[in-house]
Short mmCIF file of all heavy atoms in Angstrom, two decimals:
data_model
loop_
_atom_site.label_atom_id
_atom_site.label_comp_id
_atom_site.label_asym_id
_atom_site.label_seq_id
_atom_site.Cartn_x
_atom_site.Cartn_y
_atom_site.Cartn_z
N TYR A 56 -21.78 5.78 -19.80
CA TYR A 56 -21.36 5.08 -18.59
C TYR A 56 -20.91 6.09 -17.55
O TYR A 56 -20.66 7.26 -17.86
CB TYR A 56 -20.20 4.12 -18.87
CG TYR A 56 -20.59 2.89 -19.65
CD1 TYR A 56 -20.54 2.87 -21.03
CD2 TYR A 56 -21.03 1.74 -18.98
CE1 TYR A 56 -20.91 1.74 -21.74
CE2 TYR A 56 -21.39 0.62 -19.68
CZ TYR A 56 -21.33 0.61 -21.06
OH TYR A 56 -21.69 -0.50 -21.76
N GLU A 57 -20.79 5.64 -16.31
CA GLU A 57 -20.17 6.44 -15.28
C GLU A 57 -18.98 5.67 -14.74
O GLU A 57 -18.98 4.44 -14.73
CB GLU A 57 -21.15 6.80 -14.17
CG GLU A 57 -21.68 5.60 -13.40
CD GLU A 57 -22.69 6.00 -12.33
OE1 GLU A 57 -22.68 7.16 -11.91
OE2 GLU A 57 -23.47 5.13 -11.93
N THR A 58 -17.97 6.38 -14.30
CA THR A 58 -16.76 5.76 -13.79
C THR A 58 -16.95 5.35 -12.34
O THR A 58 -17.39 6.14 -11.52
CB THR A 58 -15.58 6.74 -13.88
OG1 THR A 58 -15.42 7.14 -15.25
CG2 THR A 58 -14.30 6.11 -13.39
N LYS A 59 -16.63 4.09 -12.06
CA LYS A 59 -16.65 3.61 -10.67
C LYS A 59 -15.28 3.81 -10.03
O LYS A 59 -15.16 4.21 -8.89
CB LYS A 59 -17.05 2.13 -10.63
CG LYS A 59 -18.50 1.89 -11.05
CD LYS A 59 -18.82 0.43 -11.27
CE LYS A 59 -18.82 -0.37 -10.00
NZ LYS A 59 -19.23 -1.77 -10.23
N GLN A 60 -14.23 3.48 -10.79
CA GLN A 60 -12.86 3.67 -10.32
C GLN A 60 -11.91 3.59 -11.50
O GLN A 60 -12.25 3.08 -12.55
CB GLN A 60 -12.48 2.63 -9.26
CG GLN A 60 -12.36 1.21 -9.79
CD GLN A 60 -11.86 0.24 -8.75
OE1 GLN A 60 -11.07 0.58 -7.88
NE2 GLN A 60 -12.33 -0.99 -8.82
N HIS A 61 -10.71 4.12 -11.30
CA HIS A 61 -9.66 4.05 -12.31
C HIS A 61 -8.54 3.18 -11.77
O HIS A 61 -8.16 3.29 -10.60
CB HIS A 61 -9.07 5.44 -12.61
CG HIS A 61 -10.04 6.42 -13.18
ND1 HIS A 61 -10.53 6.32 -14.46
CD2 HIS A 61 -10.62 7.51 -12.65
CE1 HIS A 61 -11.36 7.32 -14.69
NE2 HIS A 61 -11.43 8.06 -13.60
N LEU A 62 -8.01 2.33 -12.65
CA LEU A 62 -6.84 1.51 -12.34
C LEU A 62 -5.79 1.87 -13.39
O LEU A 62 -6.13 2.15 -14.54
CB LEU A 62 -7.17 0.03 -12.39
CG LEU A 62 -8.31 -0.43 -11.47
CD1 LEU A 62 -8.69 -1.86 -11.80
CD2 LEU A 62 -7.88 -0.31 -10.02
N PHE A 63 -4.54 1.85 -12.99
CA PHE A 63 -3.47 2.27 -13.89
C PHE A 63 -2.47 1.15 -14.06
O PHE A 63 -1.99 0.59 -13.08
CB PHE A 63 -2.76 3.51 -13.34
CG PHE A 63 -3.71 4.64 -13.12
CD1 PHE A 63 -4.38 4.80 -11.92
CD2 PHE A 63 -3.98 5.54 -14.14
CE1 PHE A 63 -5.29 5.82 -11.72
CE2 PHE A 63 -4.88 6.57 -13.95
CZ PHE A 63 -5.54 6.72 -12.74
N TYR A 64 -2.16 0.84 -15.32
CA TYR A 64 -1.15 -0.17 -15.63
C TYR A 64 0.05 0.57 -16.21
O TYR A 64 -0.06 1.19 -17.28
CB TYR A 64 -1.68 -1.20 -16.62
CG TYR A 64 -0.62 -2.20 -17.02
CD1 TYR A 64 -0.25 -3.21 -16.15
CD2 TYR A 64 0.01 -2.12 -18.26
CE1 TYR A 64 0.73 -4.12 -16.50
CE2 TYR A 64 0.99 -3.03 -18.61
CZ TYR A 64 1.34 -4.03 -17.73
OH TYR A 64 2.32 -4.92 -18.08
N TYR A 65 1.13 0.55 -15.49
CA TYR A 65 2.35 1.22 -15.93
C TYR A 65 3.15 0.24 -16.78
O TYR A 65 3.69 -0.73 -16.26
CB TYR A 65 3.16 1.72 -14.74
CG TYR A 65 2.40 2.74 -13.93
CD1 TYR A 65 1.67 2.38 -12.81
CD2 TYR A 65 2.37 4.07 -14.34
CE1 TYR A 65 0.95 3.32 -12.09
CE2 TYR A 65 1.65 5.02 -13.62
CZ TYR A 65 0.94 4.63 -12.50
OH TYR A 65 0.23 5.56 -11.80
N ALA A 66 3.19 0.49 -18.08
CA ALA A 66 3.87 -0.42 -19.00
C ALA A 66 5.38 -0.39 -18.83
O ALA A 66 6.06 -1.35 -19.20
CB ALA A 66 3.49 -0.08 -20.44
N THR A 67 5.90 0.68 -18.29
CA THR A 67 7.34 0.80 -18.06
C THR A 67 7.59 1.41 -16.68
O THR A 67 6.81 2.23 -16.20
CB THR A 67 8.01 1.71 -19.11
OG1 THR A 67 7.33 2.96 -19.15
CG2 THR A 67 7.99 1.10 -20.49
N CYS A 68 8.67 0.99 -16.06
CA CYS A 68 9.05 1.59 -14.78
C CYS A 68 9.69 2.96 -15.06
O CYS A 68 10.08 3.24 -16.21
CB CYS A 68 10.03 0.68 -14.04
SG CYS A 68 11.69 0.63 -14.76
#
Side-chain angles (χ1 to χ4, degrees):
Y56 288 91
E57 63 182 338
T58 302
K59 293 169 68 176
Q60 68 175 327
H61 297 289
L62 303 170
F63 303 89
Y64 177 75
Y65 297 96
T67 53
C68 72

